[in-house]
Amino acid sequence: MKWRALVFCGVAATLAGCAQIGYFVQAAHGQFSLLSEARPIDEWIASPGTESKLKNRLTRVKEIRAFAARELGLPDNDSYTTYADLKRPFVMWNVVATPELSLKPLQWCFPVAGCVNYRGYYSKDEAQAYAAELRAEKYDVEVSGVPAYSTLGWFKDPVLSTFIQYPDGELARLVFHELAHQVVYVPGDSKFNESFAVAVEEAGVERWMELHGDEKTRKAYAAYEGRKRDFLALLLKQRKALKANYESDISDDEKRKAKAAIFKALKEEYLVLKESWDGYSGYDRWFAEPLSNAHLSAVATYHDFVPGFKAILTKQKDLGKFYEAVRNLSTLGKDERHRLLASFGQATAVTAGNTHAEDLH
């Protein structure tokens, strides 16, 4: 849920040289094909050929979109006012890669988006082909489907068939997250950008549920959030074990053995989690490919700084002031803003974190 479009493909191809032209051509074709498929939501709702279930979901999106602008101060523009039926499970597939004995992902740099830890393809086959190239170079690789992305307001981001059937809470979460990227985005700082968007989505869904959630909706979203927390805790636990393994003084062969044992433990503990969820299998696709460092490299990107952003929001209370404080934070150097966010989010020093937040004015 991220800057995936790489929309300035012609310029990027010129800057990147011949070796990258093929990649940027597919990115340009994919983005503009997506836009050409989109039609205004009101047209879909008015059409007698649209199924009633889809009409209901699109009507709900309109309500969520209006709430985002009215109650959350998110951009009131044409994003998520159109709908496209892609007839595929994901809009894109992202390729993430790391060295064999490291959690540090490779980076790819693009105009506007800056450097990011993934490379996106509109074709699963093309993503898998590039993943095979990286594996041949001995990298750990993950290919994951992406249901949505943000073009940061440069284009009219459509609602997609890849997520329209999500339950209300998850649908609202996704829309709030993607719109948050249009509020503040720092090129080349995925951890800052994604953690901010997660903080906005969580605050937004809480407010949405207060006004629009019935008992069934709240219960379903609480179950979703509970499973997500459990799964994240498992991933962070094993990521910590991998990090300690790679930073140790043992031989590479010993590190490989320990790595295999850690991933084995992850699989086994996941099966236990599934039983506690009454067999819920929504995370099974995460295990579709052999587990690798790439699966765990991005976990921290979405969560490390969320407590810090929440501390700022607690201090500011008003979302508009919160966005202003985050914009001020974004003007600092990367190391400094990371240091501040880490300090704000210390679980045992919330008060100190809120005091630091005053420095953002």
Side-chain angles (χ1 to χ4, degrees):
M1 319 159 179
K2 302 154 264 291
W3 168 255
R4 300 280 199 259
L6 308 178
V7 294
F8 297 97
C9 302
V11 174
T14 301
L15 295 175
C18 294
Q20 296 297 324
I21 289 178
Y23 172 75
F24 287 111
V25 167
Q26 72 83 31
H29 180 267
Q31 174 63 30
F32 290 106
S33 293
L34 178 69
L35 294 174
S36 68
E37 291 290 327
R39 290 163 40 206
I41 286 177
D42 287 339
E43 285 188 14
W44 286 92
I45 293 174
S47 172
T50 303
E51 295 182 355
S52 58
K53 183 178 180 181
L54 178 57
K55 288 184 179 183
N56 291 338
R57 299 313 297 153
L58 292 173
T59 299
R60 180 62 80 189
V61 169
K62 289 188 64 176
E63 294 169 356
I64 290 170
R65 186 65 186 85
F67 178 89
R70 183 181 66 251
E71 303 293 337
L72 305 182
L74 292 171
D76 188 7
N77 55 28
D78 288 334
S79 292
Y80 307 109
T81 63
T82 61
Y83 173 73
D85 183 358
L86 301 184
K87 296 179 174 60
R88 60 180 189 262
F90 298 105
V91 60
M92 295 187 77
W93 286 263
N94 278 351
V95 179
V96 178
T98 70
E100 179 192 10
L101 298 175
S102 170
L103 288 165
K104 185 176 182 179
L106 300 185
Q107 287 198 327
W108 291 270
C109 298
F110 307 103
V112 182
C115 297
V116 294
N117 300 335
Y118 52 82
R119 184 155 150 153
Y121 290 85
Y122 287 87
S123 162
K124 184 178 182 180
D125 288 343
E126 290 186 29
Q128 293 285 13
Y130 185 59
E133 292 179 21
L134 292 171
R135 290 189 179 105
E137 297 175 22
K138 306 303 181 185
Y139 287 106
D140 276 19
V141 182
E142 180 198 19
V143 178
S144 60
V146 179
Y149 64 78
S150 171
T151 60
L152 308 182
W154 288 98
F155 290 97
K156 187 190 299 185
D157 293 331
V159 177
L160 302 174
S161 54
T162 53
F163 62 83
I164 189 61
Q165 298 302 337
Y166 283 8
D168 285 1
E170 296 175 49
L171 185 60
R173 176 200 67 77
L174 187 148
V175 171
F176 300 157
H177 182 107
E178 300 303 342
L179 286 172
H181 285 313
Q182 297 186 26
V183 175
V184 181
Y185 183 90
V186 180
D189 196 347
S190 295
K191 186 180 289 190
F192 178 92
N193 298 327
E194 297 303 339
S195 292
F196 167 67
V198 169
V200 171
E201 78 177 48
E202 291 183 357
V205 172
E206 181 179 349
R207 288 162 170 76
W208 166 263
M209 288 295 179
E210 287 177 359
L211 292 178
H212 299 284
D214 55 25
E215 183 178 355
K216 181 180 179 181
T217 303
R218 292 191 184 101
K219 184 176 180 180
Y221 192 74
Y224 162 79
E225 281 287 292
R227 292 189 297 264
K228 186 171 74 171
R229 282 194 300 270
D230 291 346
F231 189 61
L232 175 61
L234 173 60
L235 299 188
L236 291 175
K237 172 186 173 182
Q238 302 301 355
R239 188 182 191 280
K240 183 178 180 180
L242 280 173
K243 185 173 185 291
N245 176 44
Y246 298 147
E247 293 177 351
S248 69
D249 295 328
I250 61 178
S251 68
D252 284 354
D253 282 344
E254 290 174 305
K255 288 179 181 180
R256 291 185 182 99
K257 291 177 182 177
K259 173 184 177 181
I262 290 168
F263 281 125
K264 182 174 183 290
L266 193 159
K267 288 181 178 179
E268 292 172 348
E269 292 184 38
Y270 173 65
L271 293 177
V272 174
L273 266 186
K274 280 185 66 174
E275 289 185 13
S276 72
W277 298 335
D278 297 323
Y280 174 81
S281 60
Y283 289 102
D284 281 4
R285 68 182 179 87
W286 197 83
F287 295 86
E289 296 183 337
L291 292 180
S292 71
N293 297 328
H295 284 72
L296 293 170
S297 65
V299 172
T301 300
Y302 290 84
H303 302 283
D304 273 7
F305 293 150
V306 173
F309 283 114
K310 285 186 173 180
I312 299 172
L313 180 55
T314 298
K315 174 64 180 179
Q316 303 300 333
K317 297 182 178 64
D318 175 77
L319 280 167
K321 293 179 180 178
F322 168 62
Y323 299 151
E324 180 183 354
V326 174
R327 289 190 188 97
N328 290 338
L329 185 61
S330 73
T331 65
L332 303 177
K334 185 174 183 178
D335 289 344
E336 177 64 5
R337 63 175 171 265
H338 283 200
R339 184 190 68 78
L340 286 171
L341 282 167
S343 70
F344 300 163
Q346 291 299 319
T348 57
V350 174
T351 301
N354 290 339
T355 299
H356 287 311
E358 293 175 353
D359 297 337
L360 300 180
H361 292 286

Short mmCIF file of all heavy atoms in Angstrom, two decimals, residues 193-233:
data_model
loop_
_atom_site.label_atom_id
_atom_site.label_comp_id
_atom_site.label_asym_id
_atom_site.label_seq_id
_atom_site.Cartn_x
_atom_site.Cartn_y
_atom_site.Cartn_z
N ASN A 193 7.44 6.93 5.92
CA ASN A 193 6.19 7.04 5.16
C ASN A 193 5.17 5.99 5.56
O ASN A 193 3.99 6.30 5.76
CB ASN A 193 6.50 6.91 3.66
CG ASN A 193 7.40 8.00 3.16
OD1 ASN A 193 7.36 9.14 3.62
ND2 ASN A 193 8.25 7.67 2.20
N GLU A 194 5.59 4.75 5.67
CA GLU A 194 4.65 3.67 5.95
C GLU A 194 4.17 3.69 7.40
O GLU A 194 3.01 3.43 7.69
CB GLU A 194 5.25 2.32 5.59
CG GLU A 194 5.59 2.15 4.12
CD GLU A 194 4.39 2.34 3.20
OE1 GLU A 194 3.24 2.22 3.67
OE2 GLU A 194 4.61 2.61 2.01
N SER A 195 5.06 4.00 8.32
CA SER A 195 4.65 4.08 9.72
C SER A 195 3.66 5.21 9.93
O SER A 195 2.69 5.08 10.69
CB SER A 195 5.87 4.26 10.63
OG SER A 195 6.69 3.11 10.64
N PHE A 196 3.88 6.33 9.25
CA PHE A 196 2.93 7.45 9.33
C PHE A 196 1.57 7.02 8.79
O PHE A 196 0.53 7.26 9.42
CB PHE A 196 3.46 8.65 8.53
CG PHE A 196 2.43 9.71 8.29
CD1 PHE A 196 1.91 10.46 9.33
CD2 PHE A 196 1.97 9.96 6.99
CE1 PHE A 196 0.95 11.45 9.10
CE2 PHE A 196 1.02 10.93 6.75
CZ PHE A 196 0.50 11.68 7.81
N ALA A 197 1.55 6.36 7.64
CA ALA A 197 0.28 5.94 7.05
C ALA A 197 -0.44 4.92 7.92
O ALA A 197 -1.67 4.95 8.03
CB ALA A 197 0.52 5.36 5.65
N VAL A 198 0.31 4.04 8.57
CA VAL A 198 -0.31 3.08 9.49
C VAL A 198 -0.92 3.81 10.68
O VAL A 198 -2.04 3.49 11.12
CB VAL A 198 0.71 2.02 9.96
CG1 VAL A 198 0.14 1.19 11.11
CG2 VAL A 198 1.09 1.10 8.80
N ALA A 199 -0.22 4.80 11.22
CA ALA A 199 -0.76 5.57 12.34
C ALA A 199 -2.05 6.29 11.95
O ALA A 199 -3.02 6.33 12.72
CB ALA A 199 0.28 6.58 12.84
N VAL A 200 -2.09 6.84 10.73
CA VAL A 200 -3.29 7.52 10.26
C VAL A 200 -4.43 6.53 10.06
O VAL A 200 -5.57 6.79 10.46
CB VAL A 200 -3.00 8.28 8.94
CG1 VAL A 200 -4.30 8.81 8.33
CG2 VAL A 200 -2.03 9.42 9.18
N GLU A 201 -4.14 5.38 9.46
CA GLU A 201 -5.20 4.40 9.22
C GLU A 201 -5.81 3.93 10.53
O GLU A 201 -7.03 3.76 10.64
CB GLU A 201 -4.67 3.21 8.42
CG GLU A 201 -3.89 2.21 9.22
CD GLU A 201 -3.41 0.99 8.47
OE1 GLU A 201 -2.85 1.13 7.37
OE2 GLU A 201 -3.59 -0.10 8.99
N GLU A 202 -4.96 3.69 11.53
CA GLU A 202 -5.47 3.19 12.81
C GLU A 202 -6.33 4.24 13.51
O GLU A 202 -7.41 3.92 14.04
CB GLU A 202 -4.31 2.75 13.70
CG GLU A 202 -3.61 1.50 13.16
CD GLU A 202 -2.50 0.99 14.08
OE1 GLU A 202 -2.24 1.65 15.12
OE2 GLU A 202 -1.90 -0.05 13.76
N ALA A 203 -5.87 5.49 13.50
CA ALA A 203 -6.68 6.56 14.09
C ALA A 203 -7.97 6.75 13.31
O ALA A 203 -9.04 6.98 13.89
CB ALA A 203 -5.87 7.86 14.11
N GLY A 204 -7.88 6.64 11.98
CA GLY A 204 -9.06 6.83 11.15
C GLY A 204 -10.10 5.75 11.34
O GLY A 204 -11.30 6.05 11.47
N VAL A 205 -9.67 4.49 11.40
CA VAL A 205 -10.62 3.40 11.59
C VAL A 205 -11.29 3.49 12.96
O VAL A 205 -12.49 3.23 13.10
CB VAL A 205 -9.95 2.03 11.41
CG1 VAL A 205 -10.89 0.89 11.80
CG2 VAL A 205 -9.51 1.84 9.95
N GLU A 206 -10.53 3.89 13.96
CA GLU A 206 -11.11 4.06 15.30
C GLU A 206 -12.26 5.07 15.25
O GLU A 206 -13.34 4.83 15.81
CB GLU A 206 -10.04 4.51 16.28
CG GLU A 206 -10.55 4.69 17.69
CD GLU A 206 -9.47 5.13 18.66
OE1 GLU A 206 -8.27 5.10 18.29
OE2 GLU A 206 -9.82 5.50 19.80
N ARG A 207 -12.03 6.18 14.57
CA ARG A 207 -13.07 7.21 14.46
C ARG A 207 -14.23 6.72 13.59
O ARG A 207 -15.40 7.01 13.87
CB ARG A 207 -12.47 8.49 13.87
CG ARG A 207 -11.56 9.24 14.85
CD ARG A 207 -10.66 10.23 14.11
NE ARG A 207 -9.95 11.14 14.99
CZ ARG A 207 -8.88 10.81 15.71
NH1 ARG A 207 -8.42 9.56 15.66
NH2 ARG A 207 -8.28 11.69 16.49
N TRP A 208 -13.91 6.01 12.51
CA TRP A 208 -14.95 5.48 11.63
C TRP A 208 -15.87 4.53 12.39
O TRP A 208 -17.10 4.60 12.27
CB TRP A 208 -14.29 4.78 10.44
CG TRP A 208 -15.22 3.92 9.65
CD1 TRP A 208 -15.39 2.56 9.76
CD2 TRP A 208 -16.14 4.33 8.63
NE1 TRP A 208 -16.33 2.10 8.88
CE2 TRP A 208 -16.81 3.17 8.17
CE3 TRP A 208 -16.44 5.55 8.05
CZ2 TRP A 208 -17.77 3.21 7.16
CZ3 TRP A 208 -17.40 5.59 7.04
CH2 TRP A 208 -18.06 4.44 6.61
N MET A 209 -15.26 3.65 13.16
CA MET A 209 -16.05 2.67 13.91
C MET A 209 -16.95 3.33 14.94
O MET A 209 -18.08 2.90 15.18
CB MET A 209 -15.12 1.67 14.60
CG MET A 209 -14.46 0.69 13.65
SD MET A 209 -15.66 -0.40 12.86
CE MET A 209 -14.58 -1.38 11.82
N GLU A 210 -16.47 4.39 15.55
CA GLU A 210 -17.28 5.10 16.54
C GLU A 210 -18.56 5.64 15.92
O GLU A 210 -19.62 5.62 16.55
CB GLU A 210 -16.47 6.26 17.14
CG GLU A 210 -15.37 5.83 18.10
CD GLU A 210 -14.56 7.01 18.60
OE1 GLU A 210 -14.86 8.15 18.17
OE2 GLU A 210 -13.63 6.81 19.40
N LEU A 211 -18.49 6.12 14.69
CA LEU A 211 -19.64 6.76 14.06
C LEU A 211 -20.46 5.81 13.18
O LEU A 211 -21.68 5.98 13.06
CB LEU A 211 -19.17 7.94 13.20
CG LEU A 211 -18.61 9.15 13.96
CD1 LEU A 211 -18.14 10.21 12.98
CD2 LEU A 211 -19.66 9.73 14.90
N HIS A 212 -19.81 4.83 12.56
CA HIS A 212 -20.50 4.02 11.56
C HIS A 212 -20.49 2.52 11.83
O HIS A 212 -21.18 1.78 11.11
CB HIS A 212 -19.88 4.28 10.17
CG HIS A 212 -19.98 5.70 9.71
ND1 HIS A 212 -21.15 6.23 9.23
CD2 HIS A 212 -19.07 6.69 9.68
CE1 HIS A 212 -20.95 7.51 8.90
NE2 HIS A 212 -19.69 7.80 9.16
N GLY A 213 -19.72 2.08 12.78
CA GLY A 213 -19.62 0.64 13.00
C GLY A 213 -20.75 0.09 13.84
O GLY A 213 -21.08 0.64 14.90
N ASP A 214 -21.37 -1.00 13.37
CA ASP A 214 -22.33 -1.70 14.21
C ASP A 214 -21.60 -2.81 14.96
O ASP A 214 -20.38 -2.99 14.80
CB ASP A 214 -23.47 -2.26 13.38
CG ASP A 214 -23.00 -3.17 12.24
OD1 ASP A 214 -21.89 -3.74 12.34
OD2 ASP A 214 -23.72 -3.29 11.23
N GLU A 215 -22.30 -3.55 15.78
CA GLU A 215 -21.65 -4.57 16.60
C GLU A 215 -20.93 -5.61 15.75
O GLU A 215 -19.80 -6.01 16.05
CB GLU A 215 -22.70 -5.26 17.49
CG GLU A 215 -22.09 -6.30 18.43
CD GLU A 215 -23.13 -6.94 19.34
OE1 GLU A 215 -24.30 -6.51 19.31
OE2 GLU A 215 -22.77 -7.87 20.08
N LYS A 216 -21.56 -6.03 14.65
CA LYS A 216 -20.95 -7.04 13.79
C LYS A 216 -19.67 -6.52 13.15
O LYS A 216 -18.65 -7.23 13.11
CB LYS A 216 -21.96 -7.45 12.70
CG LYS A 216 -21.43 -8.52 11.76
CD LYS A 216 -22.48 -8.88 10.71
CE LYS A 216 -21.94 -9.93 9.75
NZ LYS A 216 -22.95 -10.28 8.71
N THR A 217 -19.71 -5.28 12.66
CA THR A 217 -18.54 -4.69 12.01
C THR A 217 -17.39 -4.52 13.00
O THR A 217 -16.24 -4.83 12.70
CB THR A 217 -18.90 -3.33 11.39
OG1 THR A 217 -19.97 -3.50 10.46
CG2 THR A 217 -17.70 -2.72 10.69
N ARG A 218 -17.72 -4.03 14.21
CA ARG A 218 -16.68 -3.84 15.22
C ARG A 218 -16.06 -5.17 15.63
O ARG A 218 -14.84 -5.28 15.81
CB ARG A 218 -17.27 -3.13 16.45
CG ARG A 218 -17.69 -1.69 16.19
CD ARG A 218 -18.01 -0.98 17.50
NE ARG A 218 -18.50 0.37 17.27
CZ ARG A 218 -19.77 0.72 17.31
NH1 ARG A 218 -20.71 -0.19 17.59
NH2 ARG A 218 -20.14 1.96 17.10
N LYS A 219 -16.90 -6.17 15.77
CA LYS A 219 -16.41 -7.49 16.18
C LYS A 219 -15.49 -8.07 15.10
O LYS A 219 -14.42 -8.62 15.41
CB LYS A 219 -17.59 -8.43 16.43
CG LYS A 219 -17.17 -9.80 16.97
CD LYS A 219 -18.40 -10.65 17.28
CE LYS A 219 -17.97 -12.03 17.82
NZ LYS A 219 -19.17 -12.86 18.14
N ALA A 220 -15.89 -7.94 13.85
CA ALA A 220 -15.09 -8.47 12.74
C ALA A 220 -13.74 -7.75 12.67
O ALA A 220 -12.69 -8.39 12.47
CB ALA A 220 -15.84 -8.33 11.43
N TYR A 221 -13.76 -6.43 12.85
CA TYR A 221 -12.50 -5.70 12.75
C TYR A 221 -11.61 -5.98 13.95
O TYR A 221 -10.38 -6.07 13.82
CB TYR A 221 -12.75 -4.20 12.62
CG TYR A 221 -11.50 -3.45 12.21
CD1 TYR A 221 -11.02 -3.54 10.91
CD2 TYR A 221 -10.79 -2.69 13.13
CE1 TYR A 221 -9.87 -2.88 10.53
CE2 TYR A 221 -9.63 -2.02 12.75
CZ TYR A 221 -9.17 -2.12 11.44
OH TYR A 221 -8.03 -1.48 11.07
N ALA A 222 -12.20 -6.14 15.12
CA ALA A 222 -11.41 -6.47 16.31
C ALA A 222 -10.71 -7.82 16.12
O ALA A 222 -9.55 -7.99 16.51
CB ALA A 222 -12.30 -6.50 17.54
N ALA A 223 -11.43 -8.78 15.51
CA ALA A 223 -10.82 -10.08 15.25
C ALA A 223 -9.68 -9.95 14.25
O ALA A 223 -8.61 -10.56 14.41
CB ALA A 223 -11.87 -11.05 14.73
N TYR A 224 -9.89 -9.14 13.21
CA TYR A 224 -8.84 -8.89 12.21
C TYR A 224 -7.62 -8.26 12.87
O TYR A 224 -6.47 -8.69 12.64
CB TYR A 224 -9.41 -7.98 11.12
CG TYR A 224 -8.37 -7.28 10.27
CD1 TYR A 224 -7.74 -7.94 9.24
CD2 TYR A 224 -8.04 -5.95 10.51
CE1 TYR A 224 -6.79 -7.31 8.46
CE2 TYR A 224 -7.09 -5.29 9.75
CZ TYR A 224 -6.47 -5.98 8.71
OH TYR A 224 -5.53 -5.35 7.95
N GLU A 225 -7.83 -7.25 13.69
CA GLU A 225 -6.72 -6.57 14.36
C GLU A 225 -5.99 -7.51 15.31
O GLU A 225 -4.76 -7.48 15.41
CB GLU A 225 -7.24 -5.35 15.13
CG GLU A 225 -7.51 -4.16 14.24
CD GLU A 225 -6.22 -3.52 13.78
OE1 GLU A 225 -5.50 -2.94 14.61
OE2 GLU A 225 -5.92 -3.62 12.57
N GLY A 226 -6.74 -8.35 16.01
CA GLY A 226 -6.12 -9.31 16.93
C GLY A 226 -5.22 -10.29 16.20
O GLY A 226 -4.09 -10.57 16.64
N ARG A 227 -5.69 -10.82 15.09
CA ARG A 227 -4.87 -11.74 14.30
C ARG A 227 -3.64 -11.04 13.75
O ARG A 227 -2.53 -11.60 13.74
CB ARG A 227 -5.70 -12.33 13.15
CG ARG A 227 -6.80 -13.28 13.60
CD ARG A 227 -7.43 -13.99 12.42
NE ARG A 227 -8.09 -13.10 11.49
CZ ARG A 227 -9.39 -12.82 11.50
NH1 ARG A 227 -10.18 -13.37 12.44
NH2 ARG A 227 -9.92 -12.01 10.61
N LYS A 228 -3.82 -9.80 13.31
CA LYS A 228 -2.69 -9.05 12.77
C LYS A 228 -1.62 -8.82 13.84
O LYS A 228 -0.42 -8.96 13.58
CB LYS A 228 -3.17 -7.72 12.19
CG LYS A 228 -2.07 -6.93 11.48
CD LYS A 228 -2.63 -5.73 10.75
CE LYS A 228 -3.02 -4.62 11.70
NZ LYS A 228 -3.36 -3.36 11.01
N ARG A 229 -2.05 -8.48 15.05
CA ARG A 229 -1.10 -8.27 16.14
C ARG A 229 -0.36 -9.56 16.47
O ARG A 229 0.86 -9.55 16.69
CB ARG A 229 -1.83 -7.74 17.39
CG ARG A 229 -2.19 -6.28 17.34
CD ARG A 229 -2.59 -5.77 18.71
NE ARG A 229 -3.75 -6.49 19.23
CZ ARG A 229 -5.00 -6.12 19.03
NH1 ARG A 229 -5.27 -5.05 18.29
NH2 ARG A 229 -6.00 -6.82 19.55
N ASP A 230 -1.10 -10.66 16.52
CA ASP A 230 -0.47 -11.95 16.82
C ASP A 230 0.58 -12.31 15.77
O ASP A 230 1.68 -12.75 16.09
CB ASP A 230 -1.52 -13.06 16.87
CG ASP A 230 -2.45 -12.95 18.07
OD1 ASP A 230 -2.13 -12.19 19.00
OD2 ASP A 230 -3.50 -13.62 18.06
N PHE A 231 0.20 -12.12 14.51
CA PHE A 231 1.10 -12.49 13.42
C PHE A 231 2.33 -11.58 13.40
O PHE A 231 3.46 -12.05 13.22
CB PHE A 231 0.36 -12.41 12.09
CG PHE A 231 1.12 -12.97 10.92
CD1 PHE A 231 1.49 -14.30 10.89
CD2 PHE A 231 1.47 -12.17 9.84
CE1 PHE A 231 2.20 -14.83 9.81
CE2 PHE A 231 2.17 -12.68 8.77
CZ PHE A 231 2.53 -14.02 8.76
N LEU A 232 2.11 -10.29 13.62
CA LEU A 232 3.23 -9.35 13.66
C LEU A 232 4.18 -9.70 14.79
O LEU A 232 5.41 -9.66 14.62
CB LEU A 232 2.71 -7.92 13.82
CG LEU A 232 3.77 -6.83 13.98
CD1 LEU A 232 4.68 -6.77 12.76
CD2 LEU A 232 3.11 -5.48 14.23
N ALA A 233 3.64 -10.03 15.95
CA ALA A 233 4.49 -10.39 17.09
C ALA A 233 5.36 -11.60 16.74
O ALA A 233 6.55 -11.66 17.11
CB ALA A 233 3.64 -10.67 18.31
#
